[in-house]
């Protein structure tokens, strides 16, 4: 009977004693036969998976050992979930995977597959397995079940051991087989003898050894860790097609749905000529995307959104090759899933096929996984695999399970230890004896220990610059070039007549190219620019609620679907989380997503997809993965005749602090076109995540000062002028009204038009104003702000967002940081939601309040 808290020692001792109690069955002649009657899992494969399970277990033990002396930073482990080795085995190493944080065994299996396999090709005698000569791997990476799931071969050599050779080498010292043991807390391993003679193929330099080192590097925050480079402990590797997930449970599921969508879309639509989006992955057309998660996670809004969207797509006849894997240990930290709830909830998901298995039984898990994968791959339809697991050693290192679990319950879980069960499977099939398995367990443990000591010496991230380097790299010159090139591809060349792309453009615009028409409103300019974007960026797709058939609730996307078809411009279901998830998935797959969220207020229920997923991916993958995206976000206030908070939301605080996010806010039609082209190019070139914030109230505005003056319209530049009209990220626009010498107004969006009108009034009063349209709310145009502020020494910030958390706070801070020594005032909106009707004007910045602010600033500064 164990104590009521499971420790690494408990687990290790329990494993040893369980194996000690196993009887060796008569050796069997054919290791490639099914491990049990009726199973598709071969003996050879079972042994490979056992090794991955053992490696995963030792990594969990190592995590606690490293933590015990302050050199390990993560102890959420995979103990009890090692059955996910079977899921990896049923998949191909080219199938994109977004994994639960308990996926150590999955990761190890995939690394082995990608490296070409390490399992013995030839039968290993049960009693005394001699070490085969070096290089005796399967070499095929075949992952289908015996009898052929799909006959696929892996991708040998794609994940060969990286970095210096493993110092551990094949353990060759003499000594008792249990000498290596687990890594007890605080144990100094330096004096330990190596384990017994090897009982299987050498481990050094194998995919398994590489996987072990990868994970250990994550635990110690080594800068050499292959996915996050010391920024997080996460399962991920670009060569293994494992896309890192965040710690936010279930938030990766909407992206997985998006990837499934992209894979299917890629099968049907071949992009035409034109610039590619370089950051994209090129998954096989019959790939399956897998995403795994725990049982408590199925209740999360992000998960229910993903299940629903997958079912909705399936119901609509859209193919979606997504495999959801729920690893059900019955608990979310301390909270139990009600008995039977998980099965009932998952079974009931419309459009998703449900399969279940005991995840502690390797053969059962493998058979169910193979069946699920086969279904998804062949039918191109989504499925859920529900694996019942156990959770050993608590939720994480610091979790005292005793507070909420009875000792008997812990004991019951221990009795279902997947490692022991796989060992039973192998020994009872006569494939190996218990002593041999135990010796292999120790060899792998020794390797983990040796590599753990190795990675401790590796460099960590040592400067803030290093940490942020992959966050949102920007290459403005290349972005400018991409804009120019996009223009050049469709520009008519007078000498050669119309080249095909230009002819295509003329056809798309029905011979009425916008530069030859009259001046445009902001809405029309966005529409024309989106049209050009869909011509010049063949991988661009425009989607969202109501954007296609209706053409947007304000007509901004009108005609796009007719011009480009439903494969490039499509309506989605009404779920902002899924709209963004779709963008994340298709962006990763090399498309250029331009989703729309109908109103700024409705971003908030999906914001994590932008903040936690989109903007963080490059950071947590050290730039290996990018999700280019231009999110169109109609918003801000001042709509006449359509009031109320939700359609006039003027709060941007939630966007302003997202690291690396680009926020463009055009006020005028010509800027709308230029800023949108920049966002598209920046997304395509640098993988930027851009929010294109469209002030709704200015969509159809035509005049500036007088009715009919057309002062808010602008011509559309011909493609030959796009380069000259280019606006780099972070550059403001300045208008001098009068002398421009007395006052600097820093503003954006609706504030620009109001400020220009007030500036004319001030000019008549003898005051010269510089009206600075920030245009970019992140990153702010700091250099322009400081230069224009210093030009007058009197700054009025006109901020239509809220006083608290509004854009003005950032502008003021930029001035202070830059050492601005003049005076400054701010007019901003009230910290409130907006009411409907005329009362809204009480809350918002108005022309009168701008004028008043300017006058008191000038009075205070001694200017009349
Ligand atoms: C959105 C979110 N809320 C809360 C947490 C904190 N948290 C981390 S793991 C966890 C429990 C998850 O349980 P389950 O999905 O069953 O996975 P398990 O850990 O049991 O494998 C919680 C609440 C989180 N990571 N993300």
């Amino acid at each position: 009977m164990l104590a009521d808290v499971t420790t690494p020692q408990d687990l290790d001792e329990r494993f040893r004693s369980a194996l000690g109690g196993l009887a060796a069955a008569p050796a069997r002649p054919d290791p490639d036969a099914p491990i049990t009657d009726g199973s598709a899992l071969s003996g050879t494969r079972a042994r490979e998976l056992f090794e991955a399970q053992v490696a995963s277990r030792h990594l969990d033990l190592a995590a606690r050992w490293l933590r015990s002396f302050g050199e390990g930073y993560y102890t959420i482990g995979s103990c009890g979930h090692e059955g996910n080795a079977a899921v990896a085995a049923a998949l191909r190493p080219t199938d994109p995977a977004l994994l639960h944080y308990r996926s150590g065994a999955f990761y190890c299996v995939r690394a082995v597959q990608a490296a070409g396999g390490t399992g013995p090709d030839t039968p290993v005698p049960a009693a005394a397995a001699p070490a085969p000569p070096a290089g005796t791997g399967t070499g095929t990476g075949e992952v289908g079940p015996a009898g052929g799931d799909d006959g696929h071969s892996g991708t040998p050599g794609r994940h060969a051991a990286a970095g210096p050779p493993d110092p551990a080498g094949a353990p060759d010292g003499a000594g008792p087989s249990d000498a290596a043991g687990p890594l007890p807390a605080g144990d100094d391993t330096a004096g330990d003898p190596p384990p017994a003679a090897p009982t299987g193929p050498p481990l050094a330099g194998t995919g398994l050894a590489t996987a072990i080192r990868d994970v250990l590097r994550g635990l110690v925050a080594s800068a050499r860790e292959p996915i996050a480079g010391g920024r997080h402990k996460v399962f991920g590797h670009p060569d293994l097609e494992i896309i890192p997930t965040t710690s936010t449970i279930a938030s990766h599921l909407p992206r997985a749905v998006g990837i499934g969508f992209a894979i299917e879309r890629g099968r049907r639509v071949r992009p035409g000529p034109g610039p590619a989006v370089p950051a994209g992955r090129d998954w096989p057309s019959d790939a399956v995307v897998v995403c795994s998660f725990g049982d408590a996670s199925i209740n999360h809004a992000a998960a229910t959104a993903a299940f629903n969207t997958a079912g909705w797509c399936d119901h609509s006849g859209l193919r979606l090759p997504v495999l959801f894997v729920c690893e059900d240990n019955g608990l979310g930290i301390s909270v139990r899933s009600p008995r039977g709830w998980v099965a009932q909830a998952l079974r009931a998901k419309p459009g998703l096929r449900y399969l279940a298995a005991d995840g502690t039984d390797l053969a059962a898990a493998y058979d169910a996984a193979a069946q699920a994968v086969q279904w998804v791959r062949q039918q191109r339809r989504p499925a859920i695999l529900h694996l019942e697991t156990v959770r050993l050693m608590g939720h994480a290192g610091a979790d005292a399970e005793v507070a909420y679990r009875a000792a008997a319950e812990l004991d019951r879980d221990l009795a279902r230890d997947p490692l022991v069960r796989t060992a039973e499977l192998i020994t009872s099939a006569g494939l190996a004896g218990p002593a041999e398995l135990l010796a292999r367990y120790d060899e792998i443990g020794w390797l983990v220990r040796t590599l753990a000591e190795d990675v401790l010496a590796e460099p960590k991230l040592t400067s803030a610059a290093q940490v942020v380097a992959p966050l949102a790299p920007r290459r403005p010159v290349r972005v400018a070039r991409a804009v120019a090139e996009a223009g050049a591809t469709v520009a008519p060349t007078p000498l050669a007549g119309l080249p095909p792309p230009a002819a295509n453009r003329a056809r798309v615009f029905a011979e009425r190219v916008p530069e030859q028409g009259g001046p445009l409103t902001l809405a029309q300019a966005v529409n024309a620019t989106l049209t050009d974007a869909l011509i010049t960026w063949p991988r661009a797709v425009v989607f969202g609620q109501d954007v296609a058939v209706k053409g947007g609730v304000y007509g901004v996307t009108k005609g796009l679907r007719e011009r480009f078809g439903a494969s490039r411009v499509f309506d989605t279901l009404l779920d902002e989380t899924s709209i963004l998830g779709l963008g994340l998935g298709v962006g990763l797959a090399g498309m250029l997503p331009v989703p729309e969220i109908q109103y700024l207020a409705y971003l908030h229920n999906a914001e994590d997809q932008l903040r936690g997923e989109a903007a963080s991916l490059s950071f947590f993958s050290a730039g290996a993965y990018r999700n280019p995206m231009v999110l169109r976000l109609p918003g801000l206030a001042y709509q006449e005749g359509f009031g109320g908070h939700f359609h006039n939301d003027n709060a941007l605080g939630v966007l302003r602090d997202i690291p690396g996010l680009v926020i463009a806010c055009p006020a005028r039609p010509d800027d709308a076109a230029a800023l949108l082209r920049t966002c598209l190019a920046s997304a395509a070139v640098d993988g930027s995540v851009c929010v294109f914030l469209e002030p709704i109230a200015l969509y159809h505005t035509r005049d500036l000062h007088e009715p009919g003056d057309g002062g808010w319209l602008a011509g559309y530049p011909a493609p030959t002028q796009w380069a000259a009209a280019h606006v780099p990220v972070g550059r403001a626009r300045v208008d001098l009204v009068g002398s421009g010498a007395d006052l600097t107004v820093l503003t954006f969006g609706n504030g620009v038009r109001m400020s220009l009108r007030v500036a004319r009034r001030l000019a008549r009063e003898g005051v010269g104003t510089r009206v600075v349209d920030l245009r970019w709310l992140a990153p702010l145009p700091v250099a322009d702000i400081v230069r224009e502020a210093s030009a007058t020494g009197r700054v009025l910030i006109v901020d239509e967002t809220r006083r608290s958390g509004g854009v003005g706070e950032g502008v003021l801070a930029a001035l202070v940081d830059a050492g601005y020594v003049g005076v400054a005032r701010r007019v901003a909106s009230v910290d409130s939601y907006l009411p409907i009707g005329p009362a809204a004007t009480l809350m918002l910045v108005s022309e009168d309040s701008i004028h008043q602010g300017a006058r008191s600033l000038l009075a205070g500064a001694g200017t009349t």
Side-chain angles (χ1 to χ4, degrees), residues 162 179 334 343 538 571 583 702 725 860:
S334 66
D571 288 318
R702 306 180 72 84

Side-chain angles (χ1 to χ4, degrees), residues 201 302 306 381 478 555 615 704 808 848:
R381 298 179 69 183
R478 288 194 203 186
L704 173 54
D848 281 347

Side-chain angles (χ1 to χ4, degrees), residues 140-167:
T140 64
E142 188 272 320
V143 294
D149 165 21
D150 47 38
H152 173 75
S153 285
T155 314
R158 284 180 5 114
H159 189 54
D166 290 318

Side-chain angles (χ1 to χ4, degrees), residues 76 81 100-102 247-249 293-298 300 327 329-333 337 391 395:
I76 299 182
H81 285 243
H100 190 37
Y101 44 74
R102 303 199 190 279
S247 279
T248 310
I249 52 121
F293 44 88
D295 51 291
S297 301
I298 72 163
H300 200 277
E327 298 182 14
N329 60 29
L331 288 155
I333 306 186
S337 289
R391 194 188 73 186
H395 176 73

Side-chain angles (χ1 to χ4, degrees), residues 378-400:
Q378 289 178 353
Q379 304 296 319
R380 320 303 295 160
R381 298 179 69 183
I384 295 181
L385 175 62
H386 178 189
L387 292 179
E388 214 185 289
T389 66
V390 288
R391 194 188 73 186
L392 308 176
M393 290 209 298
H395 176 73
D399 177 26

Side-chain angles (χ1 to χ4, degrees), residues 9 15 40 86 124 167 172 186 204 296 305 311 405 415 428 457 549 688 706 736 740 792 824:
Q9 286 87 345
F15 180 76
V124 180
D172 57 4
R405 297 186 83 187
S428 62
V549 177
S688 305
E706 321 291 349
L736 301 192
T792 65

